[in-house]
Amino acid sequence: MAGRADSTVLAGARVVLPTGTVENGRVIVEGTRIAGAAAEGAPTVDLSGHWVVPGFVDMHNHGGGGASFTSGTVDEVLTGIRTHREHGTTTLVASTVTGEMDFLAHRAGVLSELVEQGDLAGIHFEGPFISPCRKGAHSEELLRDPDPAEVRKLMDAARGTAKMFTLATELPGGIDSVRLLAEHGIIAAIGHTDATYEQTVEAIDAGATVATHLFNAMPPLAHRDPGPIAALLEDERITVELINDGTHLHPAALELAYHHAGAHRVALITDAMDAAGFGDGLYQLGPLAVEVKDGVARLVEGNSIAGSTLTLDTAFHRAVTIDRIPVGDVVQSISANPARLLGVYDRVGSLEPGKDADLVVLDADFGLKGVMRKGEWIKEPQIG
């Protein structure tokens, strides 16, 4: 790590701003923030032939670098955070998986300390309030209905750092839990659900605003029984998470989501587990054994997909080169939209003066070359 550049001008790159892409643009870094003007004599880094985009924001991530956010020690969690930072994710929410309530409350306390010291942007509880019909890689015997009192228990344990709960809102207590979360400014996400179209509409009207990994762990779209997918895609109040790893979604499904929701309503996520940035092998996802083979994570028993080994630099690269999504739309989906949902867009999610100097340098082929967080190079670009 090369350390902090107190005053630096990044020049010559294509810079993606909220207003569009600037050819031969400049990003001025002053201390930890983006500045509007450069100090006299500030050193210049020539990034000609490269792209500069905002740091990535991942609102759904279970771990990486061999470390689990659900069960790892503080040092292990920090290892996972560093792994994703090296792949461009400068803002990250730690997601848990289904477990005993007391265990999840304890984990909330551990993770909340990392939020308070600025290493994490919040906590996402995925489970235990999900449908056994669509449990995916969650332990069925630990699932429970979304009782608002139990939702509040985890909210309280997180000490104001809970950002999102994934709920099967059709279960008893689901709608009341959505209302509770909405009242406290916490995202109610519909996912791991067996809801009908009508039940999904009811949840959206109650305050749900996110679709947890759209298409995955929910009934498929059918012409006489459209289910949750149609309701989530059609409603402007919903942002849809997409896992663009080539395993969770066919490219046509990704295109369908972008076409119907629009880039302003897509959040690219990893749903990463421990193996992200680490490699194949045997892992634990909560209480369940997972085998990662050729980069694909599946439960040892049942063979269900068990999260991903994705990092957001790969998701970005696929979106632009394989899915042919415009670069500005990908930036919106991978940085700005999740930052807005998490309530941190005033600090991150775009390259604007006054915001944190969180940015990613990509080469002409959209390969990762550099990562800066708060003015400090996590990965310094080797140019020339």
Side-chain angles (χ1 to χ4, degrees), residues 268-323:
L268 293 176
I269 61 161
T270 61
D271 193 17
M273 47 80 72
D274 315 14
F278 200 67
D280 289 357
L282 292 173
Y283 296 86
Q284 288 291 126
L285 189 61
L288 302 178
V290 175
E291 181 179 14
V292 178
K293 185 176 180 181
D294 298 327
V296 177
R298 293 186 180 275
L299 291 182
V300 172
E301 293 189 17
N303 207 39
S304 291
I305 295 175
S308 84
T309 62
L310 185 64
T311 51
L312 281 181
D313 58 329
T314 298
F316 192 110
H317 186 271
R318 283 188 58 88
V320 175
T321 62
I322 296 174
D323 305 305

Side-chain angles (χ1 to χ4, degrees), residues 2-28:
R4 176 166 290 129
D6 285 331
S7 183
T8 303
V9 179
L10 307 179
R14 290 178 170 177
V15 179
V16 181
L17 304 176
T19 51
T21 299
V22 177
E23 302 285 344
N24 194 25
R26 301 199 314 165
V27 177
I28 300 164

